[in-house]
Amino acid sequence: QVQLAESGGGVVQPGRSLRLSCAASGFSFSTNVMHWVRQAPGKGLEWVAGTSYDGSNEYYADSVKGRFTISRDNSKNTLYLQMNSLSAEDTAVYYCAKGDYSNYGMDAWGQGTTVTVSS
Amino acid sequence: SYELTQPPSVSVFPGQTARITCSGDALPKQYAYWYYQKPGQAPVLVIYKDSARPSGIPERFSGSTSGTTVTLTISGVQAEDEADYYCQATDSSGTYRWVFGGGTKLTVL
């Protein structure tokens, strides 16, 4: 079955960088849109970034544009999120999500990795 | 900007019908998706393309659309349905953005 396993979260100081990874299995990773979605403590879901099946197109929320970069390695079935210039507002659980066949929804989610930005 | 508006909370007794709405000006032009999320767990897709139900989702979950409002209906609510529910749609007016509503807490009384 579909499995998505995020890693790379942790505690980081403001202004520093962090890279998240999402290992995918159980489906044809190279043919699916993939996303990062985050959830700040006690808050709702916020879409962060998405990438087309081949990585040629990247899409970002205004809140992270210019600071975060989404990428993928289809040979390794892995999705990445490079996060730079982190601030306290980026503190959240970060989920990796698989795009559905329509490319407009998300039909599978990982369990998330926690990023805490604090001095 | 593209926004989806949900009521913060809905409460029903077991066995009743719960209706959770999601409003947005662009909804007539875009499919809506619904997810539930229980505390400490990842979201789960329950409705896609306005009204389709993924395999494994109980028949008591259904979706509908009318104008700028989409509705998630849970018939015969069970205690296990207590969760946060989120609607989601895609803004394709410029570059693509995926947008979530603010979420609705369903409480089973």
Side-chain angles (χ1 to χ4, degrees):
Chain A
Q1 76 275 22
V2 174
Q3 290 194 326
L4 298 167
E6 302 92 338
S7 61
V11 180
V12 60
Q13 293 180 328
R16 302 299 290 266
S17 300
L18 204 61
R19 188 176 85 153
L20 306 182
S21 299
C22 171
S25 61
F27 66 102
S28 180
F29 179 76
S30 62
T31 63
N32 282 92
V33 170
M34 295 294 297
H35 300 276
W36 289 99
V37 177
R38 69 184 180 184
Q39 187 170 36
K43 303 297 185 182
L45 301 174
E46 179 189 16
W47 173 78
V48 172
T51 177
S52 58
Y53 71 98
D54 60 355
S56 62
N57 292 294
E58 302 166 20
Y59 311 98
Y60 297 97
D62 289 343
S63 58
V64 306
K65 196 176 301 183
R67 299 188 301 122
F68 290 12
T69 301
I70 188 172
S71 62
R72 63 193 298 161
D73 186 337
N74 286 347
S75 69
K76 295 182 179 179
N77 287 354
T78 303
L79 178 72
Y80 302 100
L81 185 68
Q82 177 67 42
M83 304 185 294
N84 298 331
S85 303
L86 286 162
S87 70
E89 287 68 39
D90 298 314
T91 294
V93 175
Y94 284 73
Y95 295 101
C96 164
K98 169 183 169 288
D100 75 337
Y101 77 97
S102 75
N103 293 331
Y104 294 132
M106 303 169 197
D107 61 5
W109 298 65
Q111 287 304 305
T113 187
T114 300
V115 173
T116 302
V117 184
S118 173
S119 54
Chain B
S1 64
Y2 194 106
E3 293 185 355
L4 298 175
T5 302
Q6 299 181 234
S9 63
V10 169
S11 300
V12 296
F13 288 97
Q16 289 187 330
T17 296
R19 293 180 180 85
I20 300 172
T21 59
C22 172
S23 298
D25 289 342
L27 285 175
K29 300 187 291 279
Q30 289 290 345
Y31 285 121
Y33 297 75
W34 288 96
Y35 308 84
Y36 75 74
Q37 184 184 33
K38 297 184 179 181
Q41 297 185 18
V44 174
L45 178 69
V46 294
I47 294 290
Y48 66 97
K49 292 179 72 174
D50 291 342
S51 59
R53 196 172 50 249
S55 61
I57 299 299
E59 290 183 6
R60 63 180 182 274
F61 289 88
S62 63
S64 60
T65 180
S66 178
T68 59
T69 299
V70 294
T71 302
L72 173 69
T73 301
I74 311 172
S75 304
V77 167
Q78 301 181 5
E80 68 198 49
D81 298 330
E82 184 164 290
D84 293 322
Y85 289 82
Y86 296 90
C87 62
Q88 176 255 310
T90 305
D91 176 11
S92 58
S93 58
T95 184
Y96 283 86
R97 293 188 307 130
W98 284 256
V99 180
F100 288 93
T104 298
K105 169 68 176 177
L106 175 66
T107 299
V108 182
L109 300 168

